[in-house]
């Protein structure tokens, strides 16, 4: 019986010739990720264990990105804990404020995630790196402490992509379309595996966005078949070899879903679940918004900034609306300045922020009050996600926002 992409990667890292869905395995890890919220939990547990050193200082990435620049004393203490741990153990990939970015945008940009890797992170959107052909998934904070991890091998859903996206339709619309189709538990503990000739019309940024939100369908991970676009991206950034795993012809899937990308429309997710989707032509009522957020690990890359700037150029944010633009990394921020995008945003009346998760998790830099509505390029719109429990969040692409 053949294996899927995910199963092949897990088998290789478990030292097994094959694995099957439901099988419990222990796999070696290529990268372990933590941020300013989750890392302190693991660090404190390691202190209790009297562990003298980490399993591999080169295979750990620590990225303070949620409450930075520090919003209060507690967040400052968390970041201090991570900073001191990184210094004590000489962690190679520690990214201080000023060099950091939103973790799931930063690590691919830095070439730290490549095809064939097994990556865990104490953040649910660690599934992002599947865009590059890696197995990556979120775990609990204390699972970060070792260089191995237990996994139950997931079954898989195959998404066969054909056609080409229309103008102003992006990966965000694709994943919202899929979640609207299968629901927030439609891929529960399964691997969402993307393949087909339609891949060539999806940029890496599109793929990173789609893989990022696999968790919003309940998936264990999302993963894309590696092609020339993937390899070009990795070769430009990574300084190590990578392994490409392709699904067997007789791989078993729980189901196969065909998607013609040319039929996907701009899509908006209504409160309070990502599955509550409507295409723009299905929205008939006027919905007053108080805030727009363009950024996050889902849509804060340079292509997202360019689309937003293209639409905002020569225009101004409507009276009574706040617009917060958050480039996902310092590199993207600098590129916005070089290309004149920053000037467009400021002239349009936007706030241009340093990279931070900020409003996405209701942390800072754009918290909503009771009764307020936001349209956002972030990835979740649960009750109270961006602030007060009586606020609302609508999810959309940068073009749709």
């Amino acid at each position: 019986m053949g294996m899927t992409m995910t199963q092949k990667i897990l088998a290789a890292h478990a030292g097994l010739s094959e694995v099957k869905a439901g099988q419990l395995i222990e796999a070696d890890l290529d990268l372990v990720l933590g941020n300013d919220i989750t890392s302190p939990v693991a660090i404190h547990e390691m202190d209790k264990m009297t562990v003298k050193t980490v399993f591999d200082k080169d295979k750990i990435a620590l990225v303070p990105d949620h409450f930075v620049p520090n919003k209060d004393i507690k967040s400052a203490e968390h970041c201090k804990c991570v900073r001191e741990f990184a210094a004590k153990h000489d962690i190679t990939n520690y990214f201080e404020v000023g060099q950091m970015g939103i973790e799931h945008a930063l690590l691919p940009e830095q070439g730290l995630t490549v095809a064939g890797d097994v990556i865990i992170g104490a953040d649910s959107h660690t599934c992002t790196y599947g865009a590059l052909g890696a197995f990556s998934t979120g775990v609990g904070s204390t699972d970060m402490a070792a260089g191995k991890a237990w996994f139950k091998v997931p079954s898989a859903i195959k998404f066969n992509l054909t056609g080409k996206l229309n103008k102003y339709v992006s990966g965000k619309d694709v994943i919202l379309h899929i979640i609207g189709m299968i629901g927030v538990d439609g891929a529960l503990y399964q691997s969402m595996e993307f393949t087909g000739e339609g891949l060539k019309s999806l940029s890496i940024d599109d793929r990173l966005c789609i893989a990022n939100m696999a968790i919003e369908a309940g998936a264990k991970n999302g993963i894309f078949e590696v092609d020339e676009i993937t390899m070009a991206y990795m070769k430009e950034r990574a300084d190590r070899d990578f392994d490409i795993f392709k699904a067997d012809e007789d791989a078993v899937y729980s189901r196969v879903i065909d998607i013609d990308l040319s039929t996907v429309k701009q899509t908006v997710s209504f409160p309070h679940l990502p599955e509550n989707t409507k295409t723009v032509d299905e929205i008939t009522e006027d919905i007053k918004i108080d805030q727009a957020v363009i950024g996050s690990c889902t849509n804060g890359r340079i292509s997202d900034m360019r689309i937003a700037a293209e639409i905002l150029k020569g225009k101004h944010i409507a009276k009574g609306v706040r617009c917060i633009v958050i480039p996902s990394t310092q590199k993207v921020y600098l590129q916005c300045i070089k290309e004149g995008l920053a000037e467009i945003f400021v002239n349009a009346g936007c706030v241009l922020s340093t990279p931070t998760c900020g409003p996405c998790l209701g942390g800072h830099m754009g918290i909503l009050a009771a009764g307020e509505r936001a349209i956002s390029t972030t990835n979740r719109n649960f009750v109270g996600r961006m602030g007060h429990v009586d606020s609302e969040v609508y999810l959309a692409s940068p073009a749709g926002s």
Side-chain angles (χ1 to χ4, degrees):
M1 184 182 296
M3 292 187 288
T4 66
M5 287 183 279
T6 290
Q7 290 164 359
K8 282 190 169 184
I9 294 172
L10 290 176
H13 283 72
L16 301 171
S17 59
E18 66 175 2
V19 296
K20 297 179 180 179
Q23 181 177 345
L24 293 174
I25 62 167
E26 184 182 54
D28 293 328
L29 303 175
D30 296 292
L31 187 66
V32 174
L33 166 68
N35 57 49
D36 49 315
I37 293 179
T38 58
S39 296
V41 179
I43 291 168
H44 295 324
E45 289 304 311
M46 287 182 67
D47 289 342
K48 293 178 186 177
M49 296 162 58
T50 64
V51 175
K52 292 183 178 180
T53 188
V54 296
F55 75 97
D56 189 328
K57 69 184 185 68
D58 297 326
K59 292 186 177 182
I60 295 171
L62 298 176
V63 187
D65 62 354
H66 278 55
F67 290 135
V68 297
N70 302 145
K71 76 180 186 73
D72 55 23
I73 294 172
K74 190 66 176 177
S75 63
E77 290 173 344
H78 282 170
C79 287
K80 181 184 178 184
C81 172
V82 177
R83 185 179 301 114
E84 291 178 344
F85 178 86
K88 176 181 178 182
H89 295 283
D90 193 26
I91 302 300
T92 304
N93 297 303
Y94 168 70
F95 296 93
E96 185 56 273
V97 174
Q99 290 82 48
M100 50 68 74
I102 302 173
E103 54 195 329
H104 306 309
L106 180 68
L107 298 194
E109 179 185 278
Q110 293 290 318
L112 297 178
T113 56
V114 297
D117 277 358
V118 170
I119 303 166
I120 64 170
D123 184 276
S124 58
H125 292 105
T126 302
C127 51
T128 304
Y129 317 125
L132 302 178
F135 171 80
S136 59
T137 193
V139 297
S141 296
T142 53
D143 291 328
M144 294 169 53
K148 296 177 179 286
W150 286 96
F151 297 103
K152 183 173 78 171
V153 178
S155 58
I157 301 174
K158 179 180 180 179
F159 292 86
N160 183 43
L161 307 180
T162 60
K164 183 179 180 180
L165 293 177
N166 293 307
K167 188 175 176 61
Y168 294 127
V169 178
S170 69
K172 183 60 161 288
D173 300 296
V174 175
I175 191 59
L176 289 180
H177 170 77
I178 289 171
I179 296 170
M181 180 197 314
I182 69 175
V184 293
D185 59 355
L188 193 61
Y189 205 91
Q190 296 185 79
S191 175
M192 296 173 70
E193 309 216 346
F194 298 89
T195 186
E197 58 91 12
L199 288 182
K200 63 178 178 286
S201 78
L202 296 178
S203 68
I204 287 296
D205 288 359
D206 286 323
R207 301 178 198 198
L208 288 164
C209 175
I210 293 169
N212 175 274
M213 289 190 67
I215 184 64
E216 310 309 335
K220 181 65 174 175
N221 68 302
I223 187 168
F224 279 74
E225 184 175 337
V226 175
D227 61 8
E228 293 82 1
I229 296 173
T230 324
M231 289 188 285
Y233 182 90
M234 293 186 294
K235 287 177 179 177
E236 184 181 339
R237 292 163 177 81
D239 59 1
R240 60 188 175 95
D241 295 332
F242 49 84
D243 296 312
I244 298 172
F245 293 87
K246 189 171 182 177
D248 292 325
E249 290 294 331
D250 59 344
V252 177
Y253 300 95
S254 60
R255 56 176 162 163
V256 177
I257 297 176
D258 295 317
I259 297 177
D260 180 353
L261 297 175
S262 68
T263 66
V264 176
K265 301 178 181 179
Q266 282 190 321
T267 303
V268 177
S269 172
F270 279 51
H272 289 283
L273 284 174
E275 70 182 16
N276 295 334
T277 57
K278 293 184 180 182
T279 56
V280 289
D281 55 341
E282 293 174 332
I283 303 172
T284 57
E285 72 272 32
D286 290 332
I287 302 171
K288 181 186 179 300
I289 64 165
D290 302 283
Q291 178 169 291
V293 177
I294 301 169
S296 84
C297 60
T298 316
N299 285 119
R301 298 172 181 87
I302 190 61
S303 61
D304 303 306
M305 299 292 110
R306 288 168 179 157
I307 287 291
E310 178 184 336
I311 293 170
L312 286 169
K313 188 174 184 179
K315 302 182 179 68
H316 199 278
I317 300 302
K319 185 177 181 180
V321 176
R322 312 177 298 273
C323 182
I324 304 170
V325 180
I326 307 176
S328 59
T329 68
Q330 289 288 85
K331 183 177 180 180
V332 175
Y333 193 107
L334 185 59
Q335 194 66 27
C336 285
I337 295 172
K338 289 179 177 178
E339 295 184 15
L341 310 184
E343 184 176 358
I344 292 172
F345 294 137
V346 172
N347 287 340
C350 304
V351 172
L352 184 61
S353 167
T354 186
T356 181
C357 296
C360 176
L361 70 154
H364 64 138
M365 286 295 296
I367 307 303
L368 298 176
E372 288 193 315
R373 292 192 186 100
I375 187 163
S376 178
T377 67
T378 52
N379 44 40
R380 286 185 175 151
N381 59 351
F382 306 150
V383 172
R385 174 68 179 180
M386 199 173 280
H388 198 281
V389 294
D390 292 329
S391 63
E392 294 180 344
V393 177
Y394 294 75
L395 303 179
S397 68
S401 296

